Amino acid sequence: MRKTLRAVGAAALTTGIVVVGAGAAAAHVTVIPDTTDAGAYALLTFGVPHGCGDSPTTKVSIQVPEQVVTVTPTVNPGWDVEKVMADLAEPVDDGHGGQYTERVAEVVYTAKTPLPDGYRDALVLSLKLPDAAGETLVFPTVQECAEGESAWVQVPADGEDGHDLELPAPLFELTAAGGDGHDDAEPVADDADAAASDGSAADGAAAGSDGAPAALTWAALVLAAAGLVLGALGFVRSRPRA
């Protein structure tokens, strides 16, 4: 099955050959990345929204693009997960003084209990995106069911709308990386510091300016109280004696 999946993916990418499984449903197996920034670390969520026709899903095999070397599958309590490795033609620097001699070519999720048609689940992969803005990453995926399978491997030709395909492969395009994280953070910090400084200055100004009004307020209260006392005494003295 794994060799078949790799062959199917290669055929779809190079010749546009369509492989249709039994009882394919209208809804698609899709991938939603939390970022498409080239060179970034991303979480890819593969949605499995249905079975093959009315048959429950038993296995989902996701082929990983050759540009990706390492993949960390997220453990899903309803599925067993396996990484299928393939040898690299040439070792790749792992960034920590070592080398990768093989890559994750495929991730296979096998349902512990078949996923019934009409129920959805999400399978999540963590990986580093290739530093290649403008390139499209394709993840040919085969969905096996209790009866039949659906091979989501179709890739739109140039100018073709992927929504018109019956069994489109999950895919997305890499975009140019955003601004430097440190650069983005500095203006925020500066603004926060400025706001804090402005707030402190405002507090200081308020404290400095409130000192005199506060003293005047107390003096006014004392004078008012004295006035009330004197007024009361005058009222008492002016009352006629019985």
Side-chain angles (χ1 to χ4, degrees), residues 178-195:
D180 188 317
H182 295 293
D183 292 339
D184 289 342
E186 287 176 1
V188 176
D190 291 343
D191 291 342
D193 293 341

Side-chain angles (χ1 to χ4, degrees), residues 14-32:
T14 58
T15 66
I17 293 176
V18 177
V19 178
V20 180
H28 301 162
V29 172
T30 58
V31 59
I32 300 178

